[in-house]
Amino acid sequence: MDTIQSSATEVTTRPADPDRLRRMAAGTLMPGFTGIAVPVWILDAYDAGLAAVCLYGTNVASPVQLRELCAGLRSHAPNSLIAVDEEGGDVTRLHYRTGSNQPGNAVLGRLDDVELTAASASAIGHELAGLGINLNLAPDADVNSAADNPVIGVRSFGAEPDLVARHTAAWIRGLEDAGVASCAKHFPGHGDTTTDSHLSLPKVTADAATLDVRELAPFRALVAAGGATVMTSHILVEALDSDHPATFSSRILQDLLRGRMGFEGVIITDALDMAGASAQTGVPEAAVRALMAGADLLCLGSDTTPALFEQTLAAITRAVQAGRLPLERLADAAARTATLAGRFPAASAAEIQEAAVRGQGGLKETELLDGERIAEAFEVSPAAEKWLAREEPVAIVQVETGANFAVGHVPWGPAAATRAIVSEGEVPDGARVAVVGRGLDAEHPLWTTFARLRAEGHAVIAVECGLPRGGADIVTYGASLAVSQALTSLLLGGGSAS
């Protein structure tokens, strides 16, 4: 903390000329970019003081390509932050083309072994470190207190605050011991929402006492664990600030998080291109408001353009020049972010390439858990137990189901783990059938398929690759590749899932 304050003081004693302001402003920004190669404007921005970039699934085409991309970034900006949103489980960027080799938070919470959670985070951390990535926008520390939450769900360790708190602390420990900064999210808690902040501004109406014992418990665990960063949420928490979403609330970021809770690390915004942040103002103004409220590193979003980046830089510098944004606040944000990069030094371009040659680092294919241990987290009904004990041949029908913006278009379910998937019309006579989907509410099309197959005389079970919503015979609490392999093995009677 002393280093941060002294750096900020040193910066603010110098004249605030436009070039220095732009460089300082760039030191608070974390854009994404489109494509599988680093664009020239990102390299130019690094030369002009850019703090960080964030990689997304659309930046990944193959393991070799990703290593080359990261090595190129590290070659140009050896001491900067390269971030990624690698939660493991359903939300994965490294394994966007295949699905994650980690089970995910909901499964880990069900198993409730904090050392296992730390080991899962450590495995992710070593993958990231091997690629030169030194900031992971994880873990999700939300308490999933709304059963029909459309964007958190299996990303949470569960609905019980103490469980989420202890696993959040374990996940942070495992990741940071591997040399990668963590980012607990989404402060002050996105779990009690029924709308998605990618699409609109959710509101949390719980009273302050409930928030304190429920939503804030995992973030107190973050502070106690010394976690490096925290991510804000674009939600309106009426009991804490009825006028400003958390990302733009000094009451929440400064008075609560820094003041009463004692957090000393870096405050990172959720992506400012989300509707909950910028639908009314645009990204540049949202960036200014976030800095004013107390945020330090501004995530601009996956499809940042050079024009948007320049507009955001200009908006920040104008805000300082106009007296809206104190120079001291901007300097503090830039200094905190620079200190974070120094605290978590990354592998160099040469080290990334050496590790690739040796077959170490980055995109490991090994699983942390065997399928039987993952399957211990599944809910299996008595009807499913009887179905599993039958001797007829097995057919698996997967009913395609969209995912939220956080998950994206990642392979999921048995279709990610095996070729032994058939369409409804291809089910052989006499086969028993597992019909697989996710988000199985009463209107889900899976139930129509389920009813038709049962009417044809098949023994049928319904499988939910998510949280229980009622009616499913097997609930897996996730749809990552690791979970899907365990599910496929269970359905096929312990045989190969490939």
Side-chain angles (χ1 to χ4, degrees):
M1 187 67 177
D2 290 340
T3 302
I4 293 172
Q5 294 299 332
S6 62
S7 298
T9 301
E10 180 183 351
V11 169
T12 55
T13 57
R14 301 172 184 171
D17 63 82
D19 288 342
R20 285 195 56 75
L21 270 182
R22 279 179 58 85
R23 191 168 190 88
M24 202 182 301
T28 68
L29 299 183
M30 182 167 67
F33 57 87
T34 58
I36 59 173
V38 182
V40 172
W41 74 266
I42 286 285
L43 302 181
D44 291 342
Y46 268 131
D47 293 338
L50 179 64
V53 295
C54 188
L55 304 180
Y56 294 86
T58 52
N59 300 129
V60 179
S62 71
V64 172
Q65 170 269 332
L66 181 58
R67 287 191 186 97
E68 293 293 335
L69 184 149
C70 290
L73 281 170
R74 275 286 158 237
S75 177
H76 199 87
N79 301 315
S80 69
L81 293 166
I82 299 177
V84 73
D85 196 7
E86 186 63 34
E87 296 177 14
D90 287 22
V91 176
T92 180
R93 307 302 181 228
L94 297 189
H95 303 279
Y96 195 73
R97 302 297 176 187
T98 59
S100 176
N101 57 16
Q102 299 300 319
N105 284 6
V107 169
L108 292 169
R110 291 268 299 169
L111 295 174
D112 197 12
D113 179 341
V114 292
E115 294 307 317
L116 189 61
T117 293
S120 179
S122 178
I124 291 171
H126 282 98
E127 279 194 296
L128 297 173
L131 291 165
I133 296 170
N134 54 348
L135 172 59
N136 189 11
L137 305 180
D140 190 305
D142 298 306
V143 177
N144 197 52
S145 43
D148 55 348
N149 192 308
V151 70
I152 303 302
V154 297
R155 301 168 66 195
S156 167
F157 290 110
E160 204 278 311
D162 289 343
L163 179 143
V164 176
R166 63 178 173 267
H167 285 275
T168 294
W171 213 99
I172 289 169
R173 169 168 54 88
L175 184 75
E176 296 197 353
D177 284 353
V180 177
S182 68
C183 182
K185 59 191 183 186
H186 307 80
F187 187 81
H190 206 317
D192 191 25
T193 59
T194 55
T195 55
D196 185 345
S197 52
H198 291 85
L199 305 173
S200 62
L201 178 62
K203 294 182 180 180
V204 174
T205 59
D207 59 58
T210 299
L211 294 170
D212 185 65
V213 299
R214 189 177 65 188
E215 271 71 20
L216 295 184
F219 295 100
R220 283 194 290 270
L222 149 77
V223 175
T229 81
V230 67
M231 178 177 282
T232 68
S233 57
H234 310 319
I235 61 174
L236 191 68
V237 187
E238 294 180 345
L240 301 179
D241 188 334
S242 60
D243 298 318
H244 304 96
T247 297
F248 311 115
S249 171
S250 61
R251 293 180 194 172
I252 291 174
L253 301 188
Q254 297 281 31
D255 298 346
L256 174 60
L257 181 58
R258 291 226 186 272
R260 296 201 294 275
M261 296 180 69
F263 179 69
E264 296 184 350
V266 171
I267 299 175
I268 304 176
T269 69
D270 206 345
L272 293 178
D273 64 348
M274 295 164 61
S278 59
Q280 302 300 316
T281 67
V283 171
E285 174 61 17
V288 172
R289 292 173 60 205
L291 284 166
M292 291 168 60
D296 304 308
L297 181 58
L298 313 180
C299 180
L300 300 184
S302 59
D303 296 328
T304 311
T305 63
L308 178 60
F309 181 75
E310 285 298 323
Q311 290 162 9
T312 305
L313 273 180
I316 295 170
T317 57
R318 284 196 305 268
V320 174
Q321 291 165 338
R324 288 183 63 207
L325 174 61
L327 178 61
E328 295 79 7
R329 170 79 275 273
L330 179 61
D332 176 59
R336 287 179 183 275
T337 298
T339 298
L340 176 67
R343 181 181 164 194
F344 290 91
S348 68
E351 289 169 332
I352 296 169
Q353 298 291 20
E354 278 180 29
V357 170
R358 295 195 306 268
Q360 300 172 349
L363 298 182
K364 297 177 182 176
E365 300 301 329
T366 57
E367 294 179 35
L368 174 71
L369 295 176
D370 63 33
E372 289 186 4
R373 185 71 197 280
I374 291 174
E376 290 175 15
F378 297 174
E379 282 185 12
V380 181
S381 72
E385 293 281 8
K386 292 179 180 178
W387 184 96
L388 291 168
R390 295 173 70 116
E391 296 183 354
E392 299 98 326
V394 174
I396 302 174
V397 175
Q398 183 163 318
V399 178
E400 197 52 47
T401 312
N404 60 50
F405 278 91
V407 173
H409 302 289
V410 178
W412 67 278
T418 179
R419 298 190 182 120
I421 302 295
V422 298
S423 68
E424 179 185 348
E426 297 172 333
V427 174
D429 293 339
R432 52 187 164 128
V433 188
V435 187
V436 181
R438 57 182 173 182
L440 302 185
D441 57 26
E443 306 303 317
H444 197 285
L446 174 142
W447 299 116
T448 301
T449 300
F450 181 94
R452 280 198 295 256
L453 289 166
R454 177 165 284 181
E456 292 172 5
H458 296 283
V460 188
I461 57 170
V463 180
E464 163 70 78
C465 287
L467 296 183
R469 291 176 180 262
D473 299 291
I474 297 176
V475 180
T476 66
Y477 289 83
S480 73
L481 178 60
V483 172
S484 300
Q485 289 170 333
L487 170 64
T488 304
S489 182
L490 177 68
L491 296 176
L492 296 177
S496 172
S498 60

